[in-house]
Amino acid sequence: MNVVYTDNNATTKVADEVIEEMLPYFGELYGNPSSMHTFGDTVNKKIKQARARVADLINADPEEIIFTSCGTESDNTAIDSAIKAYPNKKHIITSNVEHPGIKNFYQHLQKDKGYEVTFIRVDTKGLLDLDLLYKSMSDDTAIISLMWANNETGVLFPIEEIAKKAQEKNILFHTDAVQATGKVEIDVKKTGVDMLSLSGHKIHAPKGVGVLYVKKGVKFSPFLIGGHQENGRRGGTENSVSIIGLGKACELAKENLPIMNTIVRELRDYLQNQLLEKIPSSSVNGDLEQRLPNTVSIGFDAVEGESILLMLDREGICASSGSACTSGSLEPSHVLMAMKIPFKSAHGSIRFSLSHYNTKQEMDHIVSAMVPTIQKLRDMSPFWKDGKVV
Amino acid sequence: MWEYTDAVKDHFLNPRNVGELEGANAIGEAGSLNCGDALKIFLKINENERIVDASFMTFGCASAVASSSALTEILKGMTLTDAAKLTNEDISDYLGGLPKAKMHCSVMGQSALKKAIADYRGIQILQKPGEIVCECFEVTDLEIIDAVKTNKLETTDDVTDFLKAGGGCGNCLERIEELIESVKTKG
């Protein structure tokens, strides 16, 4: 069975060009980039090229790029560095829709380290309450950290505007751009963020590699203390193969950015409109305009997400749900709850996230699988009668 | 991906006895739209107090659908006296087991069945006995104590897996811990 992959906000296919770029370094070119000999230096030169390619994608300088193991490490490092740099400041600002990779770190800081963390709310469209954000900034704020784009809904926060305010008040500003990278234009010089996280496997590089951009002049303190690698900012022998892959992926992401904002956006809109048109009592979660071009989250009333996903799985379709019916979290996702999406559609929310590898035929396949799936589940549901929610 | 048994997958993809049952004389409901799963069962009981037919309507995950389907299959042909003795474990066993985090689906089946029997006997369950501990999922202290004893639960996570209690806002987790301790010490 052919796989229709529309779960690109979870992870992406490693691009063929990326694999090709990495292969020699899996095999004969295994040298340690820190070695004195030419053999190791070959790898070092290639990492240098990768660093330049990453920097080019976000308009940074190569020395502002620190390679890490993943987005979570980059996020944790940014917050940890800020609180070490400003030990007297005991306040952090973030939002209530952040990724668990950073959300749980705040809980640790609150519980174990005595930090006050302000979680700025979002409205029903998933847009940030900017008034509240600006009012919450104070001399005691060590760092503001906000995601550029939400992984579940694709909703974008006005990072440039917020960065300006943070700069005016002299507060460090970090953004988690894991979902935004390769989908919207990122220019750190123009935006003026102090730190930015991105992750390889969301942009067609392999898993296990991420980046933390740290603006020149920003006080930095390492999270992983070890050797001299990454200019003493991140210890541990470089994951050279994945870093080389990430470099290539960044080069491709830059090339593909126009495709993402035309062809992929049109495919996403086509899928969204077809589903809304053919399935009654369905609605998009999140703002329609301030949104990533590849993501759509739709709530289907009176049915439950896991059931939908398992039926789609039978048709080879990969998507993800906004509900997590597991022991620890019986409520729908914290993102949909923060947006006050009603339970009747939150439990039945499905996220489709596309890439430039998707085709119109695939979108048609999804629509033709979704229509009977939702119908079958609604026929079974005690909350659905005569074509509407009861 | 959940690790479901072939029986769970089969009952989810090909659910038995779906829909309202014409001539049903006992109906029981459990769960709610807010909880993320809900079940309504319909029973037709004859003059000898034997269940001659059963059906269900379910909103929920795959194991909720499968548990409901299994329950109706188990109940068909059973006397009301035997049906009253059914436990959530009987439902889970019928399906070759459920993932631990999904045990609450079988508990929901048992709970809807209890209500259907009460409905048939004309007993009104006005209020659940005991005191509500988990506000999110309306679970009482007596229900928690009963589940801890019957299923030998040891942690708050276990209780959440079986009853959902504590899985919402989490405010009642301390109280659940106290109840587990009290069962351990008093037995």
Side-chain angles (χ1 to χ4, degrees):
Chain A
M1 187 168 48
N2 282 337
V3 168
V4 172
Y5 191 78
T6 50
D7 202 10
N8 287 280
N9 287 10
T11 196
T12 57
K13 168 194 157 84
V14 180
D16 293 341
E17 300 90 326
V18 169
I19 295 175
E20 204 181 312
E21 189 89 1
M22 293 190 300
L23 274 179
Y25 301 88
F26 269 119
E28 66 267 33
L29 298 174
Y30 54 82
N32 188 324
S34 299
S35 298
M36 285 308 290
H37 39 72
T38 310
F39 185 63
D41 195 49
T42 313
V43 182
N44 185 38
K45 286 209 168 75
K46 197 69 188 166
I47 289 182
K48 226 170 152 181
Q49 182 195 35
R51 199 183 302 279
R53 283 168 161 176
V54 174
D56 187 47
L57 177 66
I58 60 172
N59 195 25
D61 293 335
E63 55 271 33
E64 294 174 317
I65 302 298
I66 302 173
F67 289 113
T68 65
S69 66
C70 58
T72 300
E73 187 194 322
S74 300
D75 287 346
N76 277 251
T77 304
I79 308 300
D80 181 71
S81 169
I83 63 179
K84 280 183 194 152
Y86 301 97
N88 299 323
K89 300 189 176 191
K90 296 287 181 195
H91 178 228
I92 296 169
I93 302 176
T94 183
S95 81
N96 61 358
V97 294
E98 297 296 312
H99 190 269
I102 194 160
K103 201 175 130 236
N104 296 336
F105 189 59
Y106 293 129
Q107 276 160 9
H108 157 71
L109 290 177
Q110 273 180 307
K111 231 175 126 190
D112 306 329
K113 307 266 179 187
Y115 275 83
E116 190 201 329
V117 183
T118 304
F119 295 92
I120 306 296
R121 65 186 170 221
V122 296
D123 65 12
T124 54
K125 301 258 180 203
L127 301 170
L128 203 62
D129 185 338
L130 292 176
D131 284 340
L132 186 64
L133 169 64
Y134 299 149
K135 269 186 223 152
S136 304
M137 295 179 179
S138 81
D139 293 341
D140 196 38
T141 310
I143 187 167
I144 300 165
S145 173
L146 292 164
M147 64 200 327
W148 195 312
N150 188 274
N151 49 310
E152 288 189 33
T153 59
V155 169
L156 298 161
F157 286 163
I159 294 304
E160 194 172 338
E161 189 184 327
I162 299 164
K164 279 206 178 74
K165 285 273 181 198
Q167 219 162 20
E168 279 168 26
K169 305 225 172 179
N170 217 6
I171 302 171
L172 270 187
F173 181 49
H174 163 256
T175 183
D176 173 349
V178 165
Q179 293 296 345
T181 312
K183 298 168 193 163
V184 295
E185 197 201 337
I186 294 179
D187 181 332
V188 290
K189 290 210 167 67
K190 190 172 140 224
T191 315
V193 295
D194 295 305
M195 290 188 270
L196 175 147
S197 306
L198 65 89
S199 169
H201 75 107
K202 309 286 193 199
I203 55 166
H204 306 288
K207 292 155 192 74
V209 62
V211 164
L212 179 65
Y213 154 83
V214 181
K215 188 162 75 183
K216 236 175 270 172
V218 165
K219 261 204 219 171
F220 182 79
S221 167
F223 189 58
L224 201 54
I225 297 162
H228 60 277
Q229 294 91 351
E230 300 300 298
N231 254 334
R233 294 173 299 178
R234 201 268 188 186
T237 298
E238 297 86 342
N239 179 359
S240 44
V241 179
S242 295
I243 289 172
I244 290 163
L246 176 59
K248 186 68 188 173
C250 284
E251 189 184 73
L252 295 171
K254 195 175 176 181
E255 280 171 32
N256 287 329
L257 193 59
I259 296 174
M260 188 55 97
N261 284 286
T262 51
I263 297 168
V264 177
R265 183 188 293 275
E266 281 160 24
L267 275 185
R268 188 274 314 266
D269 289 344
Y270 175 73
L271 175 66
Q272 170 184 303
N273 296 338
Q274 285 285 305
L275 290 173
L276 292 180
E277 188 190 310
K278 299 206 162 128
I279 302 173
S281 297
S282 55
S283 49
V284 174
N285 299 317
D287 191 78
L288 293 176
E289 300 304 319
Q290 294 303 312
R291 190 169 50 144
L292 290 174
N294 79 319
T295 308
V296 61
S297 165
I298 303 186
F300 301 94
D301 290 357
V303 289
E304 197 273 336
E306 184 199 290
S307 290
I308 303 171
L309 289 184
L310 291 179
M311 287 192 178
L312 289 183
D313 187 58
R314 305 260 304 165
E315 303 288 329
I317 298 165
C318 309
S320 89
S321 83
S323 86
C325 184
T326 60
S327 91
S329 58
L330 294 159
E331 291 197 325
S333 87
H334 72 283
V335 175
L336 300 182
M337 287 294 94
M339 290 163 65
K340 301 198 168 55
I341 302 292
F343 282 109
K344 65 170 181 168
S345 63
H347 283 294
S349 285
I350 300 293
R351 176 192 71 188
F352 298 97
S353 47
L354 282 54
S355 78
H356 64 277
Y357 292 111
N358 288 121
T359 63
K360 181 155 179 294
Q361 284 78 3
E362 289 179 333
M363 300 303 110
D364 288 328
H365 178 56
I366 293 173
V367 175
S368 66
M370 277 297 282
V371 172
T373 292
I374 300 295
Q375 190 58 51
K376 186 179 177 187
L377 292 171
R378 280 179 176 169
D379 287 345
M380 225 189 280
S381 173
F383 302 118
W384 187 261
K385 206 172 180 180
D386 302 327
K388 56 177 192 281
V389 183
V390 288
Chain B
M1 178 71 87
W2 294 102
E3 283 184 22
Y4 286 134
T5 63
D6 288 342
V8 172
K9 286 182 199 159
D10 179 37
H11 276 268
F12 167 61
L13 294 168
N14 311 295
R16 281 67 149 174
N17 318 307
V18 177
E20 290 183 15
L21 185 63
E22 217 172 292
N25 51 1
I27 296 173
E29 289 177 74
S32 77
L33 192 55
N34 294 4
C35 288
D37 49 21
L39 158 66
K40 193 170 181 180
I41 63 163
F42 304 84
L43 305 177
K44 203 190 279 179
I45 301 163
N46 72 9
E47 59 284 2
N48 303 323
E49 293 213 328
R50 192 173 286 280
I51 299 167
V52 290
D53 208 353
S55 76
F56 78 93
M57 295 192 83
T58 288
F59 156 78
C61 58
S63 58
V65 173
S67 295
S68 312
S69 170
L71 173 64
T72 54
E73 285 289 280
I74 297 169
L75 287 174
K76 278 204 247 176
M78 208 176 232
T79 64
L80 220 47
T81 320
D82 287 341
K85 290 182 205 149
L86 264 186
T87 66
N88 69 295
E89 278 185 12
D90 294 326
I91 301 171
S92 165
D93 289 348
Y94 184 87
L95 292 166
L98 286 171
K100 201 164 146 242
K102 296 284 188 175
M103 283 304 284
H104 60 83
C105 297
S106 63
V107 175
M108 183 171 76
Q110 185 192 13
S111 153
L113 172 62
K114 268 189 195 164
K115 287 182 186 162
I117 295 173
D119 178 45
Y120 176 76
R121 297 206 192 281
I123 304 165
Q124 277 196 315
I125 306 177
L126 285 174
Q127 231 178 345
K128 284 201 263 185
E131 216 174 278
I132 298 275
V133 172
C134 170
E135 301 274 352
C136 298
F137 299 114
E138 288 183 21
V139 185
T140 66
D141 53 355
L142 295 181
E143 286 175 294
I144 293 170
I145 291 169
D146 186 48
V148 169
K149 279 184 187 166
T150 319
N151 301 292
K152 296 190 176 58
L153 308 183
E154 294 197 335
T155 65
T156 52
D157 279 353
D158 290 344
V159 172
T160 306
D161 287 342
F162 275 77
L163 297 173
K164 291 186 159 196
C169 69
N171 283 344
C172 62
L173 287 170
E174 265 181 49
R175 177 77 185 117
I176 295 174
E177 194 139 15
E178 283 171 22
L179 290 169
I180 297 170
E181 281 306 309
S182 77
V183 173
K184 271 187 199 158
T185 47
K186 289 180 207 153

